[in-house]
Amino acid sequence: MDPVLVVLRGNSAAGKSTLAGALQTELGQGTANIGQDYFRRRILREHDVAGGANIGLIAAAARHCLRSGWNVVLEGIFPAAHYREMLRDLAAWHGGRSRFYYLAVELAESQRRHARREWSSQVPPEQLREWYLTDDVLDLAGERVLSAHRRTDELLADILADLGPVPPPTPEQVANAL
């Protein structure tokens, strides 16, 4: 069975990273967790701009993992205006099961959660307000909007039920990808 591609999107502090980590753990060895922030902010030190270098880098990393037989969880804000085309093309290239989830969270809740983060002083609430996107769905077939007010275990169970069986990559696929 082909690997799965799962895309988790939403505003800052919607719970994407936590959910992506839980999903990676649940799907097990042979599941890559590719975070937009890591590529954009840590590797490239790039602002989120249309046509940014991170867009191609994230797509290349996802393609490499999928081609190697690994399941892929992509997580990030991924504003539709900048990432819709890349995500649509990646799913078309993959041809296997691709699932898109938008974690909906209101601005006030996003700001409340953000204030609890260790690095919250680096991004003031006004900046978070400027970044906030209302109902920023991709309008891709099968995209689901999930309430970010639900517990992580509930969201995880919902996504796993939606995915159905996801067999792990073969030991050969895992070894060849390392």
Side-chain angles (χ1 to χ4, degrees), residues 144-155:
R144 291 187 55 201
V145 176
L146 303 174
S147 172
H149 293 286
R150 295 172 60 205
R151 292 189 334 251
T152 300
D153 62 326
E154 294 172 331
L155 292 167

Side-chain angles (χ1 to χ4, degrees), residues 47-117:
H47 290 286
D48 196 355
V49 296
N54 80 95
I55 298 169
L57 184 58
I58 290 167
R63 280 188 171 102
H64 171 76
C65 293
L66 290 165
R67 191 173 28 250
S68 298
W70 284 50
N71 300 308
V72 171
V73 179
L74 289 181
E75 70 86 9
I77 295 174
F78 293 128
H82 299 171
Y83 295 87
R84 178 184 288 116
E85 183 178 341
M86 179 273 282
L87 294 170
R88 182 192 64 229
D89 292 349
L90 180 61
W93 171 88
H94 172 46
R97 285 186 292 166
S98 298
R99 300 291 189 270
F100 296 87
Y101 302 95
Y102 181 77
L103 300 180
V105 64
E106 294 83 15
L107 175 59
E109 180 64 11
S110 176
Q111 290 173 322
R112 187 186 71 76
R113 291 177 183 186
H114 175 74
R116 296 187 324 220
R117 291 177 163 170

Side-chain angles (χ1 to χ4, degrees), residues 111 114 120-129 131:
Q111 290 173 322
H114 175 74
S120 65
S121 63
Q122 297 172 17
V123 180
E126 302 78 37
Q127 183 69 55
L128 210 60
R129 186 178 303 111
W131 292 342

Side-chain angles (χ1 to χ4, degrees), residues 39-59:
F39 282 83
R40 186 182 62 74
R41 295 174 67 205
R42 301 284 303 231
I43 293 175
L44 298 175
R45 298 184 66 193
E46 174 182 67
H47 290 286
D48 196 355
V49 296
N54 80 95
I55 298 169
L57 184 58
I58 290 167

